[in-house]
Amino acid sequence: MTSSKRLIVGISGASGIIYAVRLLELLQETDVETHLVVSRAGEITRAHELEMDTKELHNLASVSYSINDVGAAISSGSFRTMGMVILPCSMKTLAEIATGVTSNLLTRAADVVLKERRRLVLMVRETPLHAIHLKNMLSVTECGGIIMPPVPAFYTMPESIDQMVTNTVCRVLDLFDIDVNQMKRWEGISNQ
């Protein structure tokens, strides 16, 4: 496929892997080709948070890579993509990206996305935050990345956790101009 409708999806070891699963599920109904890479800690989190094995997770993506495959297609800027989202993004992964360290395919792919001036969205998962976390977020932002913590929109009156997850993931997809028609959007306050 020579289309640039490719999105790299990264999963690191922070809590919240359900966001990545939902994003991959929603993108299966589109023409976007997904390229998945999961860190070792992400696999550990998957085992704790989901009733889904590694194969099931990887089967949600169009293409899946080993974390050690630093020669993969997504490690090169000549492989055209829309960009990359890492959800959830651990503070370790954030720190590697912020400092240009590329110790595995996940952080290498993120570094490539930044150098190619493509969209990089990091759904950082940590609280509370200390100054190093904040400085790393600022550093990534100054390089063109977008920091997007998974903050639920209660004005949508969600009736379930799944609705909150879906709404947040749809906001992520909005950043790539992908609309999957699954989000309740704000239309203003009625004066009636």
Side-chain angles (χ1 to χ4, degrees):
M1 178 178 185
T2 57
S3 168
S4 61
K5 287 198 103 175
R6 298 175 175 135
L7 183 64
I8 304 168
V9 179
I11 299 173
S12 67
S15 181
I17 196 169
I18 190 62
Y19 291 105
V21 170
R22 188 67 181 129
L23 181 128
L24 289 166
E25 289 171 345
L26 290 171
L27 288 177
Q28 284 183 326
E29 305 299 320
T30 71
D31 62 347
V32 176
E33 185 180 284
T34 53
H35 291 256
L36 176 66
V37 60
V38 183
S39 73
R40 285 185 195 89
E43 288 290 353
I44 293 168
T45 302
R46 177 207 44 78
H48 284 284
E49 293 186 354
L50 298 176
E51 293 181 9
M52 175 182 283
D53 65 26
T54 298
K55 185 176 180 181
E56 290 172 303
L57 174 61
H58 288 260
N59 283 341
L60 292 174
S62 308
V63 181
S64 185
Y65 303 94
S66 163
I67 191 69
N68 297 317
D69 187 5
V70 293
I74 61 173
S75 70
S76 173
S78 67
F79 185 76
R80 295 186 63 202
T81 68
M82 302 168 76
M84 180 175 190
V85 57
I86 302 177
L87 67 166
C89 181
S90 68
M91 291 300 109
K92 177 184 186 278
T93 299
L94 169 68
E96 286 194 19
I97 295 166
T99 58
V101 173
T102 59
S103 66
N104 57 48
L105 181 58
L106 180 67
T107 52
R108 170 62 187 165
D111 190 67
V112 167
V113 166
L114 285 177
K115 82 176 181 70
E116 296 294 327
R117 306 304 193 264
R118 296 178 185 146
R119 176 126 315 158
L120 175 66
V121 177
L122 305 180
M123 186 179 279
V124 294
R125 282 282 297 116
E126 188 61 79
T127 189
L129 300 166
H130 59 62
I132 295 171
H133 297 150
L134 296 169
K135 287 176 184 176
N136 286 339
M137 288 182 207
L138 178 60
S139 179
V140 169
T141 301
E142 289 172 340
C143 290
I146 297 173
I147 303 299
M148 185 180 170
V151 179
F154 292 106
Y155 63 82
T156 64
M157 306 301 238
E159 296 177 13
S160 68
I161 291 173
D162 184 60
Q163 284 182 354
M164 287 191 295
V165 168
T166 298
N167 189 72
T168 300
V169 167
C170 287
R171 294 294 309 273
V172 170
L173 292 174
D174 276 354
L175 294 171
F176 294 94
D177 294 322
I178 300 169
D179 187 358
V180 292
N181 297 314
Q182 295 288 319
M183 185 172 91
K184 184 176 179 182
R185 296 186 181 275
W186 179 254
E187 295 183 7
I189 298 173
S190 173
N191 290 329
Q192 298 176 1

